[in-house]
Amino acid sequence: MAEEKEQMRASCEYLTLTDEYPPPHTELDGPATEENSKYQEVKCSPNVLQMLKAAESRCTPQSQDKEGEEMTEDGKGELVTEALKTDMQLQLTDQKQEFNKRPIKAGHRSLSQSISQSSTDSYSSVCSDSSEDGSSPRDKLQKTSKGSSDFCIKNIKHADFGRREIQIAEQEMPALMVLRKRAGGEKPLAGAKVVGCTHITAQTAVLIETLSALGAQCRWAACNIFSTQNTVAAALVEAGTPVFAWRGESEEDFWWCIERCIGTDSWQPNMILDDGGDLTHWIYKKYPSRFKKIKGIVEESVTGVYRLYQLSKAGRLCVPAMNVNDSVTKQKFDNLYCCKESILDGLKRTTDVMFGGKQVAVCGYGEVGKGCCAALKALGAIVYVTEVDPICALQASMDGFRVIKLSEVVRQVDMVITCTGNKNVVGREHLDRMKNGCIVCNMGHSNTEIDLASLRAGELRWERVRSQVDHVIWPDGKRIVLLAEGRLLNLSCSTVPSFVLSITATTQALALIELYNAPEGRYKQDVYLLPKKMDEYVASLHLPAFDAHLTEMTDGQAKYLGISKHGPFKPTYYRY
């Protein structure tokens, strides 16, 4: 391995990167004009640079000789593509584990708890759980096989089954597996103490264990009360990562878990990986002294990024932060392609609805909305779009969708799907006018998009009909079908494609490496976009899965465009 690394470094010695760094993006009401003024290349931290240079030494079909040996332009051969393919081949162990499913013992609960209970009455593959009873994990004393009790999950005994889920996800997350092999020996995150608050699924577990393999110590909580896979949480805990989360938490449980995750004197985090901003907000408000010691924050959601920009604009952000949500690989792949496939999965699993001929209102035509609309249209649904942004509205119109106000179609549509990241997009005035049986759900991060408070008014009655499906019944008998209590549909009610999440997870890992290893002064106390070089590197790691071969520019072509033949290939302001 050491000889291979030396050869890889040697083949890239002639490459150089400029000394320019990504500018902060603090404007909320308009584009960063400084960024748009010129083409920028980015110099990354040493550990990241080494990995990027390895990617730059890739070969193309045109450079193969008659015997099929791949050669770089300076004659130094290296079967990079074949190495990547080999990295993706994982050997899974054949483990046998039996689970006994027992009926749930329902106890007296508050309204919020009864509505929130999702894991204790579900045996779907989304969580692969076998719940024993309805008691809270907070009331149980559990220990791992090594005697640790620093965690709070549903059932530690289900760790073996969760390990199988993680191994399946690893097969569809090639970039993270390659990252482990390439950088695992160097431990670029040695000394990093990462506290995370994300969805706890098999895919996220692959990311967490990759961070651990790169040298980080991790503690984790869930950003969503419905998306946690209990068996996966058990597997993470058994492998040594303290996790405080279970499927079907109450609101009180949610904040209790975050507190337990960070509220320890023996372990002080120095990096934050957040999804939604709740963890960052909690540390900022309750532990301001600890917050100031954080080296960097990586945030991947619209909601969380908005909070960071607000702090930055007010001059209260004392930590460098990386906005992963607006990186190209996150926006164009996770938000678009992931939602395009998972929206249908979530709706089918919960409602068994047929889409052909149904009238659907999709609120928001960003990347998430675009993916949802494309999937619904492909199955024959009649799709309406609501938008506040004229550019997005024009895109929707030219894609063949009718752009209209929700109030104009709310009486006739069969489904309403929110994808805005805003609050009260669907208000009580809309809910009152919906027809009987209308399905209402949310594909944004938080449950703020639907006015749930008004639905819990005294005159309305809630009826749980199946896991994650509630009928909200009006006095006259009209009912709407509310999915996942207005929380994220795809991760609450179905699964999401592991391959797409591999792209986002790799982006998060690189952002953590960059912030943690950045020299003093490179990043100010502000919010930054991911360097373009990293975006391209993440994409390149996933191309071998499709047997895709990149064309390499000639020196003359690169000179003509005024860019490096190894990238970045587009300016930062380029819109893909």
Side-chain angles (χ1 to χ4, degrees), residues 56-199:
E56 290 167 349
S57 64
R58 66 182 181 275
C59 304
T60 62
Q62 290 84 349
S63 64
Q64 297 178 2
D65 62 13
K66 294 181 180 180
E67 284 73 33
E69 181 183 6
E70 298 181 9
M71 303 291 291
T72 56
E73 65 178 30
D74 60 352
K76 299 178 181 179
E78 184 170 359
L79 300 177
V80 176
T81 303
E82 289 299 318
L84 287 176
K85 291 179 180 177
T86 302
D87 286 339
M88 290 187 291
Q89 296 174 353
L90 305 175
Q91 301 298 323
L92 303 181
T93 59
D94 183 16
Q95 302 177 354
K96 295 183 179 180
Q97 179 71 24
E98 294 182 356
F99 292 94
N100 296 320
K101 297 182 178 180
R102 295 200 286 270
I104 302 160
K105 298 177 182 178
H108 295 290
R109 294 173 177 268
S110 65
L111 175 62
S112 62
Q113 287 176 315
S114 65
I115 291 174
S116 297
Q117 184 174 351
S118 59
S119 65
T120 53
D121 59 0
S122 174
Y123 299 111
S124 67
S125 61
V126 63
C127 56
S128 302
D129 287 337
S130 175
S131 302
E132 294 186 345
D133 55 49
S135 62
S136 170
R138 294 168 60 175
D139 302 328
K140 299 178 182 178
L141 178 60
Q142 303 182 76
K143 290 187 178 181
T144 66
S145 60
K146 298 179 180 178
S148 173
S149 59
D150 184 22
F151 64 92
C152 189
I153 60 173
K154 192 68 178 177
N155 194 334
I156 189 61
K157 296 179 181 179
H158 295 169
D160 287 344
F161 195 88
R163 179 53 53 188
R164 292 184 184 182
E165 295 279 358
I166 295 172
Q167 290 171 337
I168 292 172
E170 286 175 344
Q171 296 180 84
E172 278 287 295
M173 304 185 77
L176 286 180
M177 307 312 292
V178 171
L179 198 59
R180 290 185 194 182
K181 290 179 173 62
R182 288 187 176 180
E186 299 172 2
K187 304 293 183 186
L189 289 176
K193 295 183 177 180
V194 183
V195 59
C197 184
T198 65
H199 302 281

Side-chain angles (χ1 to χ4, degrees), residues 346-513:
L347 286 168
K348 285 284 190 184
R349 291 197 194 198
T350 50
T351 65
D352 304 312
V353 67
M354 183 173 182
F355 296 100
K358 291 292 192 301
Q359 298 190 60
V360 186
V362 176
C363 301
Y365 202 68
E367 298 301 329
V368 173
K370 288 180 174 70
C372 292
C373 288
L376 292 164
K377 182 180 180 180
L379 289 188
I382 301 167
V383 182
Y384 303 96
V385 171
T386 72
E387 250 302 340
V388 297
D389 186 328
I391 295 177
C392 292
L394 185 58
Q395 286 180 311
S397 297
M398 299 190 74
D399 286 338
F401 301 108
R402 175 82 184 279
V403 179
I404 200 167
K405 293 181 180 179
L406 182 58
S407 58
E408 298 177 50
V409 294
V410 72
R411 288 186 182 276
Q412 67 193 61
V413 294
D414 302 291
M415 301 178 216
V416 177
I417 303 169
T418 57
C419 314
T420 69
N422 209 331
K423 71 176 208 174
N424 292 342
V425 176
V426 178
R428 181 59 186 269
E429 67 276 13
H430 301 118
L431 296 161
D432 284 338
R433 297 174 59 200
M434 289 178 183
K435 70 181 184 181
N436 184 52
C438 182
I439 298 170
V440 183
C441 61
N442 170 44
M443 283 292 287
H445 175 80
S446 301
N447 63 342
T448 58
E449 303 201 30
I450 302 166
D451 186 7
L452 296 173
S454 68
L455 289 181
R456 293 195 170 97
E459 73 274 13
L460 302 183
R461 181 165 57 91
W462 287 57
E463 182 180 86
R464 173 59 56 91
V465 294
R466 61 167 63 167
S467 177
Q468 305 288 29
V469 182
D470 290 292
H471 284 180
V472 183
I473 306 170
W474 268 249
D476 63 358
K478 184 197 88 168
R479 62 182 63 199
I480 65 169
V481 182
L482 180 65
L483 305 183
E485 293 182 44
R487 294 183 183 273
L488 190 57
L489 173 70
N490 54 359
L491 278 161
S492 296
C493 301
S494 65
T495 57
V496 292
S498 297
F499 188 85
V500 172
L501 291 190
S502 173
I503 297 172
T504 302
T506 306
T507 304
Q508 291 172 306
L510 288 176
L512 284 170
I513 294 172

